[in-house]
Amino acid sequence: MARNGVGARARRKEDSRFLYGEGQYIGDLRFPRMREVAFVRSPVAHARLNAVLVPERLRSAVFTARDLAGVLPLKAVSPLPGFQISEQPPLVVDKIRQVGELIAMCVADTRAEAEDIAAQVALQFDELPAVTDMIEAQKPGAPLVHDTVKGNVYVNVAYDGDVESVAKTAPVKVTRRLRTSRQVMSPIECRGFIAQWDKRLDQLILHGATQFPHVVRSGLAQVLQIPELKIRVVSPDVGGGFGYKAVLAGEEVCLCWLAMRADYPVRWLEDRREMLVANANCREHYYDITAYADRTGKILAFDAKAAVDTGAYSSYPFTAAIEASQVSAILPGPYDIPVYRCTTAAVATNKAPQLPYRGVARPGCCYAMELVVDAIAREIGREPHEVRDVNLVRPEQMPYDNVTDKHFDSGDYPQLLRMAVEAIDVDAVRARQRRGEGDGRLIGLGMSMFSEQTGHGMTADGKRRVLYEQTFARLTPDGRLEIRAGIQSIGQGLETTLAQIGSEILGLDIEDIQVKLGDTELSPYSSGAWGSRGMIWAGGATSQACKELADRVARIGAALLQTEKASVSLRDSCVFGPNGSVSLRAIAQAYYLSPNELPSDIDPRGLEVTNGFSPLRLTGIHTGAAHAAVVAVDPEVGAVEILDYVVAEDAGTLVNPMIVDGQIFGGTAQGIGSALFEQMTFDKQGQPLASTLADYLLPGTAEVPNIRVLHMETPSPYTEFGIKGVGEGGAIGPAAAIANAVNDALRPLQVEITEIPITPRRIVQALAAQRRTD
């Protein structure tokens, strides 16, 4: 292994600029004569738009849907049978479908002036009844969000098992109705874009905080109806993505349309209120579950009806079906369930579109499944971890195809469970519960487990072949390595880990390797950063490119050493032969600067390589984890404190364990927010009730405990180096583990909370309701 190769805890190369405030985000960019944009947004959730009234003196600074003639609506399609397509115009044409929807674009020299202009634009509309509850939206007679989406259901996704035959004889039956609240993904940096038309290049250039520059370019070419070669998308440093920056939306479409007609660059920087009320919603699920088990807790059949509140539109390029299809497919988790039935509806409502957020449906599925597992344990009087162990897929079953045809390539879920049980010390926690707390608080222990499908192809079922992820690698004339990849970094440390792979293969120090990302003009096409795919796909492509480059380097080195290629080896930045060695620097200088020293049959393709990779299976690389939490609940005021938290995880071969730890810490913090704090509520008129971070609560340092992370490395047989995805895993397990811990603490009071976040108000209200029934 190279000193900073695969497996090394190398310091992140990118941190030197981030920690000293030298990162370059979209808000840091300045262009000559740049002007600012603000949008007129809808104040109501559902209405017929009759007129946009612009004062005549402002007409040249305000643009409406009528001006955007020739711009096509955004339209996300799905291969799922029966999917009903909706269209999302960049600016409202005739019907408003959510609060905050874009109606007009205003441009001025400063953002404040643009907002002043927007405030002077008047709207005439006829308000319509809003539909804000995903269950009510499916009932006959409910207002329709789209005329093209009958019954307000974009699609139903179903798996059909013979549950009835099991139900007749199963000795244990538990039923739960569970909800997860709508959340707002909250990266430090909001969305933002700068669009300009380069007259010399005859090209539209969009600088933007995006997770997939190439996909944005493709989408812009479609809706603007111009060739892709006339569009360049550049993504600078991105201050967090989490899925929020994995879409193409109306704001950037409008900016690009304006830039193509103006002789100046235009910029829109999203403020936090726009993010909260109009753009960044996610994760609102409903579950009605009945599970049948035997007296050991072994699940015999699992029956579920679920719904996902997808909001007003399918956001490009993902669809309103993404969460619903995932729910039905991944709800079984890491368990060997013989009979399974599930139907999930993707429901349209008059709320902001639901976007893919870190984990994409998995946190909700994990929450639902794991609460049911604990319910079974309480029903039969066993420890919850014992019931989990009874149901887990065993290592000797690998590779394993589960009841929804998910292919588990490798792993040892029972061992992950044992690691978590031992680390959290279940016996000690139970003894503490029996002793009681001097301050009257109640102690609870909760666990959760999941199997995460990482790095799958463009469709999670793998039924459609996708392009290979590609990487460009070049040995420079001074013997250093340049890597260019189309994937973008959104905080996961790719500038370091891709360099580590190059170091592993070519033996260079990572300080002599530069990784360049996020520019469609300079990198191979990529579908971007999503689905915990970065190291599986881009890492694999980097490995392939560097291996090919190493082969060419070895040929030149052998020629310089006057020996056969078969007799040389590459290590420590040198090619070694039987009677000496030659450095990569000397090889590069010979090739570029002194080619006369080389034989004429040297490979004419040179020291620049583009190569690609896709996993041997496109259905995803399965990883997993066990989370365990100990909490203290104050029954008087409903306060919850996390006393201990353990994560035992398997991400295959760890390219950089320090970066993996960071990903787990960050994801777990987000999961704590899901469990205890974060909820975007709406009134019956569809008005969002949290418009600032004073109303929408995020966990801070005081709410996040010292998280203990335990690693198990089970290499995948389908990837380079046995890598598995890890970027989303930390965010999946916490809501379930913490909810189970709170319910464990409240069990002596016969109270169970079935909706997250578990706020103090919910706890106090549940305890009061229970006292009224006593």
Side-chain angles (χ1 to χ4, degrees):
M1 184 186 77
R3 184 170 63 88
N4 284 319
V6 173
R9 298 180 68 89
R11 289 189 175 187
R12 295 190 354 152
K13 291 165 63 70
E14 48 269 76
D15 283 353
S16 60
R17 68 178 186 274
F18 294 151
L19 294 176
Y20 288 99
E22 296 172 352
Q24 190 176 70
Y25 300 92
I26 192 67
D28 297 316
L29 301 182
R30 297 289 187 274
F31 294 94
R33 300 182 300 110
M34 184 173 72
R35 306 190 77 194
E36 302 284 347
V37 163
F39 288 95
V40 177
R41 295 180 179 271
S42 169
V44 296
H46 203 193
R48 293 288 178 189
L49 180 63
N50 298 322
V52 181
L53 305 178
V54 182
E56 190 58 34
R57 70 182 187 283
L58 302 177
R59 190 64 190 88
S60 64
V62 180
F63 305 92
T64 67
R66 184 177 299 177
D67 298 305
L68 270 64
V71 177
L72 300 179
L74 294 161
K75 183 166 61 176
V77 299
S78 170
L80 291 173
F83 181 78
Q84 301 187 86
I85 296 173
S86 65
E87 295 183 344
Q88 183 177 10
L91 297 175
V92 171
V93 176
D94 54 7
K95 190 179 182 185
I96 295 165
R97 295 183 173 87
Q98 66 163 105
V99 170
E101 189 166 4
L102 302 179
I103 294 179
M105 173 174 54
C106 305
V107 62
D109 290 335
T110 68
R111 173 63 180 253
E113 291 174 298
E115 290 182 352
D116 287 344
I117 293 171
Q120 298 175 67
V121 176
L123 306 177
Q124 290 183 348
F125 53 82
D126 295 324
E127 196 163 359
L128 300 170
V131 55
T132 60
D133 181 85
M134 68 182 109
I135 305 304
E136 296 297 319
Q138 300 177 69
K139 293 181 179 179
L144 290 180
V145 179
H146 296 274
D147 293 338
T148 58
V149 181
K150 306 303 180 186
N152 287 324
V153 176
Y154 285 103
V155 70
N156 280 298
V157 182
Y159 289 83
D160 191 15
D162 185 11
V163 172
E164 282 75 15
S165 61
V166 177
K168 294 176 183 177
T169 58
V172 177
K173 173 184 176 181
V174 298
T175 298
R176 291 295 184 275
R177 290 184 176 87
L178 307 163
R179 276 185 180 263
T180 67
S181 291
R182 180 167 282 242
Q183 291 182 236
V184 175
M185 48 194 92
S186 301
I188 292 176
E189 178 200 37
C190 300
R191 287 173 58 232
F193 297 89
I194 301 171
Q196 61 179 319
W197 185 265
D198 189 312
K199 293 181 179 179
R200 182 180 69 84
L201 297 175
D202 193 31
Q203 188 179 46
L204 172 68
I205 302 177
L206 179 69
H207 288 81
T210 177
Q211 296 176 221
F212 46 36
H214 290 275
V215 177
V216 167
R217 184 181 68 170
S218 296
L220 286 172
Q222 292 174 26
V223 298
L224 298 174
Q225 301 188 76
I226 62 174
E228 287 200 40
L229 58 83
K230 286 185 175 290
I231 303 173
R232 177 183 182 183
V233 178
V234 182
S235 185
D237 288 328
V238 177
F242 311 128
Y244 181 45
K245 294 168 185 171
V247 296
L248 173 63
E251 290 91 351
E252 50 264 45
V253 174
C254 291
L255 283 182
C256 290
W257 173 88
L258 180 57
M260 291 168 64
R261 286 153 180 80
D263 63 351
Y264 49 81
V266 287
R267 179 174 72 169
W268 168 72
L269 295 180
E270 180 182 57
D271 63 30
R272 191 64 62 173
R273 186 174 187 276
E274 289 178 299
M275 170 182 279
L276 285 165
V277 305
N279 288 344
N281 284 206
C282 56
R283 281 188 184 165
E284 187 173 5
H285 295 190
Y286 168 83
Y287 298 88
D288 186 347
I289 296 173
T290 300
Y292 301 91
D294 64 19
R295 288 294 175 188
T296 71
K298 170 62 180 172
I299 298 173
L300 305 175
F302 196 89
D303 193 12
K305 291 183 179 179
V308 176
D309 187 328
T310 62
Y313 293 101
S314 282
S315 293
Y316 183 94
F318 302 101
T319 74
I322 183 172
E323 290 262 331
S325 60
Q326 287 280 76
V327 166
S328 287
I330 65 178
L331 189 54
Y335 301 117
D336 186 352
I337 297 175
V339 179
Y340 176 75
R341 180 169 64 191
C342 181
T343 300
T344 307
V347 185
T349 62
N350 292 118
K351 301 177 183 176
Q354 178 165 270
L355 305 181
Y357 182 28
R358 194 175 193 174
V360 188
R362 295 171 183 88
C365 291
C366 179
Y367 167 75
M369 172 59 76
E370 295 302 296
L371 261 66
V372 170
V373 171
D374 268 36
I376 293 171
R378 287 193 292 272
E379 183 72 18
I380 63 175
R382 296 193 74 182
E383 276 284 356
H385 71 84
E386 295 174 341
V387 173
R388 286 180 173 83
D389 186 62
V390 167
N391 287 285
L392 286 170
V393 175
R394 320 312 290 185
E396 58 269 20
Q397 293 176 271
M398 300 294 181
Y400 171 80
D401 294 318
N402 80 350
V403 70
T404 62
D405 204 30
K406 295 300 178 187
H407 180 79
F408 294 13
D409 52 293
S410 60
D412 189 338
Y413 295 99
Q415 177 60 18
L416 287 171
L417 177 63
R418 288 190 290 270
M419 291 165 64
V421 167
E422 180 179 344
I424 207 72
D425 198 343
V426 172
D427 291 341
V429 175
R430 295 303 184 208
R432 182 175 179 178
Q433 285 178 315
R434 289 191 294 270
R435 289 195 305 269
E437 299 294 298
D439 58 8
R441 294 193 298 174
L442 305 173
I443 300 300
L445 168 65
M447 300 192 71
S448 67
M449 295 200 69
F450 60 87
S451 174
E452 184 189 3
Q453 183 183 11
T454 69
H456 57 73
M458 293 297 286
T459 55
D461 58 13
K463 292 180 180 178
R464 287 192 296 166
R465 188 76 186 174
V466 299
L467 77 164
Y468 286 80
E469 184 78 18
Q470 293 183 317
T471 293
F472 168 88
R474 170 196 287 153
L475 193 67
T476 61
D478 61 356
R480 292 175 171 84
L481 178 65
E482 177 186 353
I483 294 171
R484 296 181 185 174
I487 196 170
Q488 175 60 333
S489 179
I490 50 176
Q492 68 274 52
L494 287 174
E495 292 178 38
T496 301
T497 48
L498 294 182
Q500 286 183 255
I501 288 177
S503 175
E504 178 73 20
I505 294 168
L506 291 168
L508 288 161
D509 190 276
I510 62 171
E511 296 306 317
D512 290 327
I513 301 173
Q514 185 176 47
V515 176
K516 299 179 180 179
L517 308 168
D519 189 337
T520 60
E521 201 86 339
L522 303 177
S523 62
Y525 195 96
S526 170
S527 61
W530 56 274
S532 298
R533 68 189 299 273
M535 291 312 298
I536 294 173
W537 289 73
T542 299
S543 174
Q544 292 297 311
C546 288
K547 285 178 180 178
E548 184 177 345
L549 185 58
D551 182 75
R552 297 185 193 180
V553 164
R555 289 179 182 274
I556 297 173
L560 293 173
L561 293 170
Q562 299 182 351
T563 187
E564 298 297 320
K565 176 181 176 292
S567 68
V568 302
S569 61
L570 176 59
R571 64 182 185 275
D572 300 329
S573 302
C574 294
V575 172
F576 290 85
N579 299 307
S581 66
V582 59
S583 69
L584 294 188
R585 182 185 179 91
I587 290 170
Q589 288 179 335
Y591 178 81
Y592 288 110
L593 306 178
S594 305
N596 56 300
E597 299 179 6
L598 302 177
S600 58
D601 61 350
I602 287 296
D603 193 328
R605 294 173 298 173
L607 298 179
E608 297 183 358
V609 172
T610 298
N611 210 333
F613 176 81
S614 68
L616 296 180
R617 287 187 68 107
L618 295 177
T619 52
I621 308 304
H622 276 259
T623 183
H627 287 227
V630 178
V631 304
V633 179
D634 186 332
E636 295 298 319
V637 298
V640 176
E641 180 186 359
I642 303 172
L643 304 177
D644 194 11
Y645 202 99
V646 170
V647 179
E649 66 82 35
D650 175 10
T653 300
L654 304 184
V655 175
N656 188 318
M658 181 179 67
I659 287 180
V660 171
D661 286 345
Q663 291 290 296
I664 299 298
F665 294 152
T668 302
Q670 288 178 308
I672 290 169
S674 302
L676 299 176
F677 301 102
E678 298 184 48
Q679 57 179 337
M680 172 57 75
T681 55
F682 291 76
D683 66 15
K684 292 184 178 180
Q685 287 72 46
Q687 291 290 337
L689 301 181
S691 61
T692 73
L693 292 180
D695 305 305
Y696 186 85
L697 300 183
L698 293 168
T701 54
E703 289 76 43
V704 178
N706 291 324
I707 301 161
R708 295 186 283 145
V709 180
L710 311 174
H711 296 295
M712 181 175 73
E713 297 185 57
T714 307
S716 171
Y718 303 139
T719 66
E720 291 285 282
F721 305 108
I723 295 168
K724 299 179 180 181
V726 73
E728 297 168 280
I732 296 172
I738 293 168
N740 278 333
V742 171
N743 285 334
D744 184 58
L746 297 176
R747 183 181 180 186
L749 303 179
Q750 297 181 303
V751 166
E752 181 180 356
I753 310 294
T754 57
E755 183 172 359
I756 53 173
I758 302 177
T759 61
R761 180 184 297 273
R762 283 203 170 105
I763 292 174
V764 170
Q765 288 177 340
L767 289 169
Q770 178 60 34
R771 285 193 293 269
R772 288 194 295 270
T773 63
D774 290 343

